[in-house]
Amino acid sequence: MTTKVRTTDFREKKHRGEKIAMLTAYDANMARLLDKAGVDALLVGDSVGMVMLGYDNTVPVTLDAMIHHTAAVVRGTQRALVVADMPFLTYQTTAADAVRNAGRLMQEGGAEAVKLEGGSAIVDVVKRLVDVGVPVMGHLGLLPQSVHRVGGFLRQATNPRDADILLADALAIEQAGAFAIVLESIPADVARTVTAALDVPTIGIGAGPDCDGQVLVTNDMIGLFDGPVPSFVKQYARVAETVTSSAQSYIDDVRSGRYARSTAPKTPTPTT
Ligand code: KIV
C-alpha cells in the first residue's frame, strides 16, 4: 500500500537524519513518473513560467495558471506531497488575499501545501495561513519573484551581514509556523549554519550538500532543455537530445514513406 507523504513527515525525517528529495512537476504524466520513482515531494513551481510557458522569469505567472498545473500534478500523484507555489503578488498584499488565494490552490488545485518567497516581510502572512490550516513552505536566498528588484538571478547571502539577515529570516519564518524552508543559491556554509539552527528541514537548491533535502527543476535534472542549466545542477539524462533525434528519425521515416509501410504497429494502440 502507498503511504502518502505528509507535511508532518518532514520534521520527523530531519530528526531521523533522512534526506528529503523534492523535484518540480507541472503536468500529470511527469508527476506520475516522478512519484513512481519515489520522490518525497513534488513542487508545482512558478518556474512553470520559464520552463513550460516561455517567459524570461516567474513574474507573469498567474494564480489561474498555477491552479491549472497543480490540478494536473495532483491527478498524477499518489504518494508524494504536492506543494504549489503562490505566484507573485498573490500573498504579499494582505493576509486576507493570501488566505483566499492559498484556498484556491488547495480547493481547486488540490495542493497539500503552498510555498511563499520571503523573510520578515511576510511573517504575518505565513502565521495567518498556518493558523487557518494552510501548510506553508518558506523560500529564502535567491527569490526569483524579486528578480527585477535584485537585478537578476544572483547568488545571495554572500557577505556576513546578508548571511545574518538570512538566518534571522529563517528563524522568523520557522517561528511563524512553516514546516520547511527552501534555501536557493546561497553559500554552502551559510546553508549549513541555517540548517543547524532550525528545527524544520531546509531544502537546498544551489545551497551545498548539507541541507536536509534537495530540490531541482526536473527539466534541468533530466536535460529536457536545449539551453544552459545553472552550474549547481547535476544532469542525470539528456532527454532533449533523445526528443530531437527521435523526431528527426520520425520525420525521415515519414518523408521517405518508411513510416506507413514498415513501422506502423500491427495492433492499433491508443494515441491518448
Ligand atoms: O519555482 C520553482 O521551481 C522553485 C524552485 C526553484 C525551488 O521555486
Side-chain angles (χ1 to χ4, degrees):
M1 205 189 81
T2 307
T3 310
K4 183 83 182 126
V5 180
R6 308 276 174 197
T7 56
T8 44
D9 295 326
F10 273 54
R11 196 187 301 240
E12 288 167 22
K13 278 181 181 289
K14 174 166 182 150
H15 291 168
R16 287 199 298 267
E18 282 173 31
K19 296 276 189 184
I20 297 162
M22 180 158 94
L23 284 166
T24 64
Y26 315 106
D27 64 75
N29 181 54
M30 187 61 81
R32 203 172 292 118
L33 297 177
L34 301 176
D35 195 49
K36 192 171 156 191
V39 73
D40 296 307
L42 287 172
L43 172 65
V44 190
D46 56 1
S47 52
V48 67
M50 301 173 74
V51 173
M52 305 289 285
L53 306 178
Y55 294 119
D56 289 338
N57 56 62
T58 60
V59 171
V61 176
T62 63
L63 186 63
D64 284 339
M66 288 304 299
I67 292 169
H68 176 81
H69 287 278
T70 301
V73 168
V74 167
R75 285 193 289 275
T77 306
Q78 288 187 2
R79 175 183 172 274
L81 180 80
V82 178
V83 183
D85 262 338
M86 295 197 69
F88 184 53
L89 294 188
T90 61
Y91 57 96
Q92 295 93 336
T93 45
T94 64
D97 283 350
V99 169
R100 195 173 308 111
N101 294 330
R104 286 195 64 202
L105 281 165
M106 294 180 82
Q107 292 186 302
E108 296 173 43
E112 294 157 328
V114 296
K115 179 165 77 59
L116 277 62
E117 296 181 9
S120 54
I122 60 159
V123 161
D124 290 346
V125 168
V126 173
K127 189 167 178 344
R128 178 75 182 135
L129 286 169
V130 175
D131 281 350
V132 299
V134 178
V136 172
M137 180 176 278
H139 184 152
L140 295 168
L142 194 164
L143 307 180
Q145 292 174 9
S146 301
V147 60
H148 295 309
R149 176 173 58 81
V150 177
F153 295 103
L154 306 175
R155 202 159 172 74
Q156 299 296 306
T158 52
N159 62 61
R161 185 175 165 276
D162 289 350
D164 285 348
I165 293 172
L166 190 134
L167 175 59
D169 279 344
L171 290 166
I173 293 292
E174 174 181 70
Q175 184 66 31
F179 70 93
I181 300 180
V182 167
L183 299 177
E184 180 164 357
S185 225
I186 62 170
D189 60 328
V190 178
R192 192 181 316 122
T193 303
V194 172
T195 299
L198 295 182
D199 194 40
V200 298
T202 57
I203 314 286
I205 173 163
D210 299 318
C211 294
D212 299 304
Q214 299 287 333
V215 57
L216 280 179
V217 170
T218 296
N219 299 47
D220 290 345
M221 189 272 291
I222 62 172
L224 181 52
F225 191 66
D226 61 0
V229 294
S231 57
F232 56 78
V233 173
K234 181 170 173 186
Q235 278 195 312
Y236 292 80
R238 296 205 178 269
V239 176
E241 287 170 17
T242 308
V243 171
T244 304
S245 64
S246 307
Q248 282 166 344
S249 300
Y250 166 74
I251 292 162
D252 288 349
D253 276 357
V254 170
R255 289 189 181 149
S256 65
R258 276 193 309 270
Y259 176 78
R261 271 206 306 272
S262 61
T263 52
K266 287 200 175 68
T267 315
T269 48
T271 53
T272 54

